[in-house]
Amino acid sequence: MYKLTELEPGTYVYALTEMESADDDGYQLPPHWVCAACYPKRRSVLRKIDDAWVCQPPGKCAAPIHTSQYPQYAE
Ligand SMILES: [Zn+2]
């Protein structure tokens, strides 16, 4: 489960919740963000390229996100 999180004013991502981070085999997914623009259709993990977080494929859905934050589990 992912929770809508505001990284910077007006900039949103979905962050994985810690509660939902373990799969059935006990493997724990690391914290990550998924693209808010793509979220209704697919879970697209944002990747850091140079100094910006971008959806894959880049540039198709939303502007690169510039933030000093790194992914953390949502509350
Ligand atoms: Zn996207």
Side-chain angles (χ1 to χ4, degrees):
M1 178 186 176
Y2 293 86
K3 186 178 175 192
L4 188 63
T5 302
E6 187 173 35
L7 290 185
E8 305 290 344
T11 299
Y12 293 90
V13 296
Y14 279 86
L16 183 68
T17 61
E18 185 161 20
M19 201 167 35
E20 304 286 337
S21 64
D23 70 13
D24 293 341
D25 297 324
Y27 177 78
Q28 188 170 36
L29 293 168
H32 60 270
W33 293 325
V34 301
C35 178
C38 294
Y39 188 81
K41 287 187 243 170
R42 64 193 178 97
R43 306 291 184 262
S44 180
V45 178
L46 297 178
R47 296 185 190 287
K48 191 158 197 255
I49 298 178
D50 296 329
D51 62 345
W53 295 85
V54 296
C55 184
Q56 303 297 319
K60 299 282 196 244
C61 58
I65 293 172
H66 294 270
T67 180
S68 58
Q69 298 186 58
Y70 280 82
Q72 296 178 1
Y73 293 123
E75 297 287 315

XYZ file of all heavy atoms in Angstrom:
601
model
N 0.844 -1.187 0.000
C 0.000 0.000 0.000
C 0.887 1.247 0.000
O 1.922 1.275 0.647
C -0.881 -0.015 1.254
C -1.758 1.198 1.392
S -2.614 1.147 2.985
C -3.437 2.712 2.901
N 0.451 2.196 -0.737
C 1.212 3.434 -0.866
C 0.387 4.606 -0.351
O -0.838 4.587 -0.432
C 1.566 3.677 -2.338
C 2.538 2.661 -2.878
C 2.087 1.454 -3.389
C 3.901 2.906 -2.862
C 2.977 0.510 -3.878
C 4.801 1.976 -3.356
C 4.331 0.781 -3.863
O 5.215 -0.147 -4.346
N 1.079 5.594 0.161
C 0.392 6.753 0.720
C 0.869 8.019 0.023
O 2.076 8.226 -0.142
C 0.699 6.839 2.215
C -0.079 7.928 2.924
C 0.243 7.901 4.403
C -0.434 9.072 5.095
N 0.060 9.247 6.462
N -0.091 8.836 -0.372
C 0.248 10.090 -1.039
C 1.017 10.985 -0.065
O 0.580 11.224 1.064
C -1.028 10.784 -1.519
C -0.830 12.023 -2.400
C -0.126 11.665 -3.705
C -2.163 12.681 -2.681
N 2.166 11.450 -0.520
C 3.077 12.208 0.332
C 3.511 13.460 -0.410
O 3.866 13.400 -1.591
C 4.324 11.345 0.642
O 3.896 10.137 1.267
C 5.297 12.066 1.549
N 3.485 14.599 0.273
C 3.933 15.851 -0.338
C 5.405 16.063 0.013
O 5.767 16.275 1.161
C 3.085 17.021 0.161
C 3.398 18.310 -0.581
C 2.442 19.440 -0.212
O 2.018 19.504 0.951
O 2.128 20.257 -1.105
N 6.268 15.948 -1.002
C 7.711 16.088 -0.779
C 8.122 17.534 -0.636
O 8.924 17.904 0.213
C 8.488 15.518 -1.961
C 8.492 14.025 -2.163
C 9.423 13.695 -3.315
C 8.914 13.303 -0.913
N 7.597 18.303 -1.556
C 7.857 19.738 -1.585
C 6.498 20.358 -1.853
O 5.602 19.679 -2.348
C 8.817 20.091 -2.751
C 10.128 19.334 -2.759
C 11.069 19.745 -1.628
O 10.846 20.811 -1.028
O 12.010 18.979 -1.347
N 6.341 21.637 -1.545
C 5.016 22.238 -1.795
C 4.543 21.984 -3.223
O 5.237 22.325 -4.178
C 5.241 23.730 -1.515
C 6.385 23.750 -0.546
C 7.279 22.592 -0.960
N 3.423 21.330 -3.356
C 2.848 21.054 -4.662
C 3.443 19.872 -5.394
O 3.031 19.571 -6.506
N 4.391 19.182 -4.795
C 5.036 18.019 -5.424
C 4.696 16.763 -4.630
O 5.059 16.649 -3.457
C 6.563 18.199 -5.484
O 6.851 19.354 -6.259
C 7.229 16.983 -6.130
N 4.016 15.849 -5.301
C 3.522 14.659 -4.620
C 4.112 13.388 -5.195
O 4.337 13.285 -6.405
C 1.993 14.577 -4.743
C 1.278 15.670 -4.004
C 0.990 16.877 -4.632
C 0.908 15.509 -2.671
C 0.337 17.905 -3.953
C 0.258 16.518 -1.986
C -0.024 17.711 -2.633
O -0.654 18.721 -1.958
N 4.318 12.413 -4.332
C 4.672 11.055 -4.740
C 3.852 10.110 -3.863
O 3.281 10.522 -2.856
C 6.174 10.754 -4.539
C 7.040 11.639 -5.425
C 6.570 10.896 -3.083
N 3.835 8.855 -4.249
C 3.290 7.842 -3.361
C 4.456 7.096 -2.725
O 5.360 6.639 -3.423
C 2.394 6.856 -4.123
C 1.006 7.399 -4.358
C 0.727 8.190 -5.459
C -0.018 7.118 -3.459
C -0.548 8.702 -5.676
C -1.290 7.626 -3.660
C -1.552 8.413 -4.773
O -2.799 8.907 -4.972
N 4.423 7.004 -1.397
C 5.489 6.322 -0.662
C 4.949 5.021 -0.076
O 3.819 4.965 0.421
C 6.016 7.218 0.463
N 5.791 3.981 -0.146
C 5.410 2.686 0.418
C 5.266 2.813 1.934
O 6.077 3.459 2.592
C 6.501 1.670 0.094
C 6.262 0.233 0.536
C 5.118 -0.392 -0.248
C 7.534 -0.580 0.357
N 4.243 2.179 2.477
C 4.099 2.168 3.941
C 4.875 0.992 4.508
O 4.948 -0.080 3.898
C 2.626 2.052 4.361
O 2.095 0.836 3.853
C 1.816 3.231 3.847
N 5.466 1.197 5.679
C 6.271 0.128 6.277
C 5.421 -1.103 6.572
O 5.859 -2.239 6.424
C 6.945 0.619 7.556
C 7.877 -0.425 8.138
C 8.893 0.161 9.104
O 8.661 1.262 9.611
O 9.913 -0.506 9.329
N 4.186 -0.864 6.945
C 3.279 -1.965 7.253
C 3.127 -2.928 6.080
O 2.952 -4.124 6.255
C 1.910 -1.373 7.613
C 1.022 -2.265 8.404
S -0.405 -1.363 9.102
C -0.797 -0.170 7.852
N 3.201 -2.374 4.884
C 2.963 -3.176 3.683
C 4.261 -3.550 2.988
O 4.239 -4.033 1.859
C 2.094 -2.378 2.702
C 0.782 -1.916 3.286
C -0.227 -3.049 3.432
O -0.078 -4.047 2.715
O -1.127 -2.917 4.264
N 5.396 -3.318 3.640
C 6.660 -3.471 2.925
C 7.148 -4.913 2.849
O 8.002 -5.231 2.046
C 7.741 -2.600 3.570
O 7.991 -3.033 4.885
N 6.628 -5.797 3.703
C 7.071 -7.190 3.682
C 6.153 -8.019 2.791
O 4.934 -7.896 2.868
C 7.081 -7.768 5.084
N 6.751 -8.818 1.952
C 5.919 -9.688 1.131
C 5.671 -11.016 1.863
O 6.102 -11.197 2.998
C 6.512 -9.884 -0.266
C 7.782 -10.716 -0.264
O 8.083 -11.357 0.766
O 8.467 -10.719 -1.301
N 4.990 -11.916 1.222
C 4.584 -13.157 1.887
C 5.771 -14.034 2.274
O 5.654 -14.866 3.169
C 3.640 -13.958 0.979
C 2.320 -13.239 0.794
O 2.008 -12.362 1.627
O 1.615 -13.541 -0.183
N 6.894 -13.847 1.611
C 8.080 -14.641 1.925
C 8.961 -13.981 2.987
O 10.029 -14.484 3.296
C 8.919 -14.865 0.660
C 8.145 -15.661 -0.375
O 7.373 -16.557 0.022
O 8.300 -15.386 -1.576
N 8.509 -12.841 3.498
C 9.271 -12.171 4.536
C 10.336 -11.240 4.005
O 11.083 -10.647 4.772
N 10.398 -11.129 2.697
C 11.355 -10.202 2.111
C 10.809 -8.790 2.264
O 9.630 -8.540 1.975
C 11.562 -10.524 0.634
C 12.493 -9.563 -0.063
C 13.870 -9.666 0.091
C 11.982 -8.552 -0.867
C 14.717 -8.765 -0.532
C 12.824 -7.653 -1.498
C 14.191 -7.766 -1.320
O 15.018 -6.875 -1.941
N 11.654 -7.891 2.744
C 11.189 -6.528 2.949
C 11.622 -5.620 1.814
O 12.806 -5.501 1.504
C 11.704 -5.973 4.274
C 11.062 -4.631 4.602
C 11.365 -4.160 6.006
O 12.455 -4.375 6.504
N 10.401 -3.526 6.632
N 10.644 -4.988 1.210
C 10.953 -4.034 0.153
C 11.567 -2.783 0.761
O 11.120 -2.331 1.813
C 9.670 -3.640 -0.579
C 8.996 -4.739 -1.386
C 7.601 -4.298 -1.796
C 9.818 -5.065 -2.615
N 12.586 -2.246 0.127
C 13.153 -0.995 0.636
C 12.180 0.163 0.400
O 11.295 0.060 -0.461
C 14.428 -0.823 -0.192
C 14.166 -1.561 -1.449
C 13.256 -2.709 -1.096
N 12.358 1.240 1.148
C 11.493 2.402 0.892
C 11.661 2.882 -0.541
O 12.769 2.873 -1.081
C 12.033 3.458 1.872
C 12.827 2.713 2.884
C 13.347 1.492 2.196
N 10.584 3.249 -1.140
C 10.675 3.826 -2.482
C 9.450 4.679 -2.750
O 8.463 4.610 -2.027
C 10.845 2.737 -3.552
C 9.730 1.740 -3.609
N 9.744 0.575 -2.875
C 8.563 1.740 -4.292
C 8.641 -0.109 -3.130
N 7.910 0.573 -3.959
N 9.569 5.478 -3.779
C 8.462 6.324 -4.205
C 7.959 5.830 -5.546
O 8.733 5.356 -6.374
C 8.938 7.760 -4.398
C 9.358 8.454 -3.150
C 8.824 8.321 -1.889
C 10.392 9.443 -3.018
N 9.466 9.161 -1.007
C 10.429 9.861 -1.667
C 11.285 10.024 -3.920
C 11.327 10.825 -1.203
C 12.171 10.979 -3.453
C 12.186 11.383 -2.105
N 6.678 5.985 -5.744
C 6.146 5.734 -7.079
C 5.503 7.024 -7.593
O 5.070 7.888 -6.829
C 5.150 4.555 -7.118
C 5.815 3.273 -6.639
C 3.914 4.835 -6.325
N 5.462 7.110 -8.914
C 4.995 8.310 -9.595
C 3.510 8.547 -9.332
O 2.684 7.656 -9.580
C 5.250 8.134 -11.089
S 4.674 9.495 -12.090
N 3.189 9.753 -8.836
C 1.796 10.070 -8.539
C 0.959 10.184 -9.808
O -0.221 9.848 -9.822
C 1.716 11.355 -7.725
N 1.579 10.642 -10.885
C 0.848 10.807 -12.139
C 0.434 9.451 -12.719
O -0.641 9.305 -13.292
C 1.687 11.581 -13.149
N 1.297 8.454 -12.565
C 1.031 7.130 -13.130
C 0.276 6.219 -12.170
O -0.204 5.164 -12.586
C 2.346 6.451 -13.507
S 3.217 7.269 -14.844
N 0.201 6.607 -10.929
C -0.316 5.718 -9.891
C -1.677 5.093 -10.206
O -1.887 3.913 -9.938
C -0.365 6.463 -8.556
C -0.709 5.600 -7.378
C 0.273 4.824 -6.761
C -2.004 5.553 -6.886
C -0.042 4.021 -5.678
C -2.322 4.755 -5.796
C -1.331 3.992 -5.196
O -1.653 3.203 -4.141
N -2.606 5.862 -10.758
C -3.914 5.235 -11.037
C -3.817 4.060 -12.009
O -4.648 3.162 -11.971
C -4.737 6.382 -11.640
C -4.080 7.622 -11.123
C -2.609 7.285 -11.065
N -2.801 4.076 -12.873
C -2.707 3.037 -13.908
C -1.664 1.987 -13.594
O -1.831 0.814 -13.900
C -2.367 3.666 -15.263
C -3.533 4.424 -15.869
C -3.193 4.873 -17.279
C -3.184 6.386 -17.345
N -2.665 6.928 -18.567
N -0.536 2.395 -13.032
C 0.539 1.453 -12.778
C 1.435 1.998 -11.688
O 1.439 3.199 -11.419
C 1.352 1.192 -14.055
C 2.079 2.417 -14.577
C 2.607 2.197 -15.989
N 3.258 3.400 -16.474
C 4.573 3.616 -16.441
N 5.378 2.688 -15.967
N 5.097 4.724 -16.877
N 2.193 1.096 -11.064
C 3.118 1.495 -10.012
C 4.493 1.667 -10.641
O 5.183 0.684 -10.906
C 3.193 0.414 -8.924
C 1.848 0.034 -8.347
C 1.261 1.171 -7.515
N 0.016 0.718 -6.894
C -1.192 0.976 -7.393
N -1.337 1.667 -8.497
N -2.268 0.541 -6.773
N 4.856 2.895 -10.902
C 6.119 3.186 -11.553
C 7.084 3.785 -10.528
O 6.861 4.879 -10.028
C 5.871 4.164 -12.701
O 7.095 4.458 -13.329
N 8.128 3.043 -10.212
C 9.074 3.481 -9.190
C 9.936 4.619 -9.735
O 10.471 4.530 -10.846
C 9.965 2.302 -8.739
C 11.002 2.767 -7.710
C 9.115 1.183 -8.159
N 10.039 5.675 -8.954
C 10.888 6.796 -9.356
C 12.351 6.433 -9.149
O 12.722 5.829 -8.144
C 10.549 8.040 -8.524
C 9.133 8.586 -8.702
C 8.930 9.791 -7.787
C 8.850 8.955 -10.141
N 13.171 6.817 -10.115
C 14.613 6.570 -10.032
C 15.340 7.902 -10.032
O 14.926 8.843 -10.698
C 15.080 5.753 -11.237
C 14.474 4.389 -11.263
C 15.040 3.549 -12.394
N 14.252 2.331 -12.525
C 14.305 1.314 -11.676
N 15.117 1.357 -10.643
N 13.549 0.252 -11.842
N 16.461 7.923 -9.298
C 17.243 9.157 -9.249
C 18.234 9.152 -10.394
O 19.059 8.248 -10.538
C 17.977 9.277 -7.923
C 18.583 10.656 -7.721
C 18.822 10.955 -6.259
C 19.032 12.445 -6.068
N 20.411 12.804 -5.842
N 18.099 10.143 -11.244
C 19.012 10.306 -12.364
C 19.614 11.697 -12.246
O 18.892 12.694 -12.246
C 18.289 10.117 -13.711
C 17.738 8.692 -13.799
C 19.235 10.428 -14.866
C 16.962 8.396 -15.053
N 20.912 11.750 -12.128
C 21.607 13.000 -11.817
C 21.002 13.586 -10.543
O 21.012 12.920 -9.531
C 21.553 13.952 -13.022
C 22.312 13.369 -14.211
O 23.287 12.633 -13.986
O 21.909 13.624 -15.360
N 20.403 14.778 -10.637
C 19.910 15.390 -9.401
C 18.386 15.402 -9.328
O 17.806 16.162 -8.575
C 20.457 16.816 -9.267
C 19.981 17.704 -10.405
O 19.485 17.173 -11.421
O 20.098 18.934 -10.281
N 17.743 14.558 -10.090
C 16.286 14.586 -10.096
C 15.713 13.170 -10.069
O 16.322 12.224 -10.571
C 15.777 15.316 -11.332
N 14.536 13.057 -9.489
C 13.807 11.790 -9.455
C 12.854 11.772 -10.635
O 12.063 12.708 -10.817
C 13.039 11.651 -8.146
C 13.945 11.554 -6.969
C 14.496 12.597 -6.275
C 14.432 10.349 -6.352
N 15.297 12.109 -5.268
C 15.268 10.746 -5.284
C 14.240 8.992 -6.602
C 15.917 9.816 -4.474
C 14.873 8.077 -5.797
C 15.701 8.488 -4.738
N 12.929 10.723 -11.411
C 12.117 10.667 -12.618
C 11.399 9.322 -12.710
O 11.864 8.293 -12.230
C 12.963 10.872 -13.903
C 13.572 12.267 -13.925
C 14.047 9.827 -14.012
N 10.251 9.404 -13.368
C 9.461 8.221 -13.670
C 10.092 7.527 -14.866
O 10.860 8.116 -15.622
C 8.045 8.680 -13.995
S 6.876 7.369 -14.296
N 9.792 6.259 -15.022
C 10.293 5.508 -16.171
C 9.121 5.088 -17.066
O 8.157 4.544 -16.560
C 11.033 4.255 -15.691
C 12.166 4.559 -14.736
C 13.263 5.381 -15.373
O 13.614 5.142 -16.520
N 13.769 6.355 -14.645
N 9.163 5.327 -18.355
C 10.225 6.050 -19.064
C 10.178 7.531 -18.732
O 9.099 8.060 -18.477
C 9.896 5.793 -20.528
C 8.436 5.536 -20.551
C 8.107 4.866 -19.253
N 11.337 8.174 -18.684
C 11.396 9.548 -18.191
C 10.691 10.547 -19.094
O 10.656 10.392 -20.307
C 12.902 9.836 -18.121
C 13.530 8.852 -19.032
C 12.640 7.645 -19.058
N 10.126 11.538 -18.443
C 9.608 12.686 -19.174
C 8.254 12.503 -19.812
O 7.749 13.400 -20.475
N 7.639 11.333 -19.607
C 6.378 11.100 -20.300
C 5.164 11.626 -19.537
O 4.150 11.942 -20.120
C 6.184 9.595 -20.533
C 7.273 8.980 -21.387
C 7.056 9.305 -22.852
C 7.883 8.396 -23.725
N 8.894 9.085 -24.492
N 5.249 11.651 -18.228
C 4.037 11.898 -17.452
C 4.140 13.102 -16.532
O 3.152 13.752 -16.269
C 3.722 10.667 -16.611
S 5.080 10.266 -15.518
N 5.309 13.369 -16.014
C 5.435 14.426 -15.019
C 6.840 14.995 -15.078
O 7.767 14.346 -15.562
C 5.165 13.858 -13.620
N 6.968 16.202 -14.557
C 8.285 16.828 -14.532
C 9.181 16.099 -13.540
O 8.696 15.542 -12.552
C 8.140 18.285 -14.127
N 10.501 16.078 -13.800
C 11.419 15.508 -12.814
C 11.248 16.204 -11.472
O 10.946 17.393 -11.408
C 12.803 15.799 -13.401
C 12.571 16.003 -14.859
C 11.201 16.607 -14.970
N 11.420 15.447 -10.409
C 11.229 15.987 -9.063
C 12.586 16.317 -8.462
O 13.458 15.451 -8.368
C 10.486 14.958 -8.186
C 9.067 14.778 -8.715
C 10.485 15.407 -6.731
C 8.310 13.652 -8.050
N 12.718 17.553 -8.062
C 13.939 17.987 -7.394
C 13.654 18.101 -5.905
O 12.799 18.874 -5.488
C 14.408 19.336 -7.955
C 14.844 19.239 -9.383
N 16.135 18.951 -9.745
C 14.147 19.338 -10.535
C 16.221 18.911 -11.070
N 15.034 19.133 -11.576
N 14.350 17.316 -5.129
C 14.164 17.357 -3.683
C 15.443 16.887 -3.019
O 16.207 16.111 -3.608
C 12.989 16.461 -3.244
O 12.858 16.535 -1.825
C 13.202 15.007 -3.650
N 15.669 17.347 -1.818
C 16.826 16.868 -1.055
C 16.468 15.627 -0.245
O 17.319 15.045 0.415
C 17.336 17.973 -0.137
O 16.314 18.381 0.730
N 15.205 15.229 -0.299
C 14.777 14.069 0.481
C 15.103 12.764 -0.241
O 15.296 12.740 -1.452
C 13.268 14.125 0.729
C 12.840 15.324 1.533
C 11.376 15.237 1.861
O 10.928 14.270 2.483
N 10.611 16.226 1.437
N 15.127 11.698 0.551
C 15.265 10.353 0.003
C 14.076 9.527 0.473
O 13.451 9.862 1.474
C 16.579 9.721 0.467
C 17.741 10.222 -0.355
C 18.340 11.425 -0.062
C 18.201 9.501 -1.451
C 19.385 11.913 -0.838
C 19.236 9.977 -2.233
C 19.824 11.180 -1.927
O 20.853 11.663 -2.701
N 13.769 8.463 -0.282
C 12.579 7.691 0.088
C 12.634 7.160 1.519
O 13.663 6.650 1.966
C 12.581 6.546 -0.933
C 13.314 7.088 -2.097
C 14.378 7.975 -1.515
N 11.514 7.297 2.181
C 11.325 6.699 3.506
C 9.942 6.074 3.492
O 9.089 6.442 2.704
C 11.370 7.779 4.599
C 12.715 8.465 4.709
C 12.705 9.553 5.776
O 11.703 9.779 6.452
N 13.828 10.224 5.932
N 9.750 5.129 4.402
C 8.418 4.560 4.520
C 7.430 5.635 4.957
O 7.745 6.464 5.813
C 8.399 3.432 5.556
C 9.195 2.224 5.150
C 10.213 1.756 5.949
C 8.908 1.541 3.971
C 10.951 0.635 5.589
C 9.647 0.423 3.602
C 10.656 -0.031 4.423
O 11.386 -1.139 4.076
N 6.244 5.573 4.404
C 5.176 6.457 4.865
C 4.673 5.936 6.211
O 4.825 4.749 6.533
C 4.055 6.483 3.842
N 4.076 6.807 6.957
C 3.540 6.438 8.279
C 2.426 5.422 8.100
O 1.592 5.552 7.231
C 2.979 7.670 8.985
C 4.031 8.725 9.270
C 4.956 8.306 10.407
O 4.418 7.824 11.421
O 6.165 8.455 10.279
Zn 4.893 8.574 -14.127
